[in-house]
Amino acid sequence: MVTQDFTAQTKQLIDNLKGVCTSYGLGNDGNEFKIITQVFLYKFMNDKFAYELKALVPALQEAESWEKEIADYTEEDYEMLLLRMNPDSAKLKREHFLSTLFNRQDQEEFAKFFDDTLRDISIFNNEIFSVKTGTGAKITLFDELSNYITDSSQRDSFCKALVNQLVNFNFDKIFNQKFDFFSTIFEYLIKDYNKDGGGKYAEYYTPHAVAKIMASILVDSPVSNVTCYDPSAGSGTLLMNLAHAIGEDRCTIYSQDISQKSSSMLRLNLILNNLVHSIQNIIQGNTLRNPYHKVGEKLMTFDYIVSNPPFKLDFSDYVEDLNTKQNSERFFAGFPNVPNKDRDKMAIYPLFIQHIMYTLAPKGKAAIVVPTGFITAQSGIEKRIRERLVEQKMLRGVVSMPSNIFATTGTNVSILFIDKANTKGDIVLMDASKLGTTVKDGKNQKTLLSDDEEDLIINTFNNHEAKEDFSVVVSYEQIREKNYSFSAGQYFEVKIEYTDITPEAFEEKMAGFKKNLDALFAESQALEVEIKKQLGGLTYE
């Protein structure tokens, strides 16, 4: 019940911040996302700082105002206190506190003071919280938010209104909450800003059911000190589920995504989920063209890889740049042709699958969302990829999901599981397409899986169970015999049902069939006579 109250209060804070933006003409504006997420993040960091400070200095917990107590510290004492804090925590100067902003909101040019405060926090914490671009430039934590208000005379009152929403709420009671709480809050925070707007690099939000299934099948036993990677990370749903399944303190996250917006979402997600130590590995850039993560000159390899790559995208401008001798092994199966028209329908996902196979550690595991057509394509890049997965004995299995599991696309999807250690070949192929309940999601239909259905998929897969018309367990040799098809349906047994019947009953049934046929033949004959009669009566006029 307490968690539900915190969830409701946190969502109310988000709604209130959106209300301020609407009042100042920024409702549904392209910049509203930056304002909401950055102000929310500032408040979260301010309260987390206070929470950790009180843990270091218990006397501050009893103080009527911890800020006033801290104000009496000498500069040297305050610096020593900052040095004692967790290295992954935001460090705030005393002038950065929310209480300082609140107490100085009536000063002239408050908007400038507000922006300067956030900018100084960014600079002070640049090494921990900056996302890098592929060229090494740093994308800082906060923008100058007041500049999004076109009318400069309204900027002071806008910033005051934001600050006044923050002071009546405190995060300190929810820092002991776990992944499920923060994933719910994160989803609510970005829900209006992560829709497929049809742009060139539109983000797709991976449903929780898909993310949970991928993580639970990949991590079926305890591991530690492992690396996790997503080459098309989006807002980080897959990585967060994977990190939670492993344990946030037992893994390091790496990612790359071409979208700056997505990279900012992922940074926020990492901060909320105690994965700040991985922010330095979040790269905004083109993974296929300029993969960032390397060891020396070679691409880095990873223990776990998850990905929901874009299926189709216009990459005609740089596809030729990829076709080099240096990339011949990374893209062993080749490149999609450039369509004469509708270039935005180029199939880019096979390049991501090949990149993932190439960057998987010797005993690495991967889970990739693919269009279901991939698992049965009879030629081209898709077929060559499937052949290599079989011939190099690195296929773990496939789960074909229900249609409309993604509300934003009607494409049927499957989850491809790769495991370089699966040389034995107990491969699980599953048809989960009949599961789920269809609901309305805005203008779209969406299929939801129940908790029991999710567990059915996960447990059946991890236990290598064969279930009639649902799952099969096959060998590499069997897949070769089926022309490298990964579709479970092609391996299901065709059952012919036999019924015992007495000779008397057989004669009776046959007599009945004959009687029916005689009646039909007689009716047909009468109809034939009638048609001839009608034709004979026709005359030319």
Side-chain angles (χ1 to χ4, degrees), residues 39-40 80 85 134 184 212 351 429:
V39 170
F40 181 92
M80 290 301 295
M85 293 189 69
T184 301
K212 176 186 168 183
L351 297 182
L429 303 179

Side-chain angles (χ1 to χ4, degrees), residues 333-344:
F335 304 90
N337 295 323
V338 180
N340 292 328
K341 55 182 182 177
D342 295 332
R343 292 192 170 193
D344 58 333

Side-chain angles (χ1 to χ4, degrees), residues 305 330 332 352-361 366 368 384-386 388-389 392 394 418 420:
I305 303 180
R330 182 161 71 118
F332 66 90
F352 277 98
I353 298 175
Q354 293 175 83
H355 173 79
I356 288 165
M357 292 167 68
Y358 187 76
T359 52
L360 207 51
I368 313 163
R384 290 194 287 274
I385 291 172
R386 296 204 315 273
R388 178 167 287 206
L389 288 170
Q392 294 197 352
M394 54 193 292
I418 301 173
K420 280 198 171 180

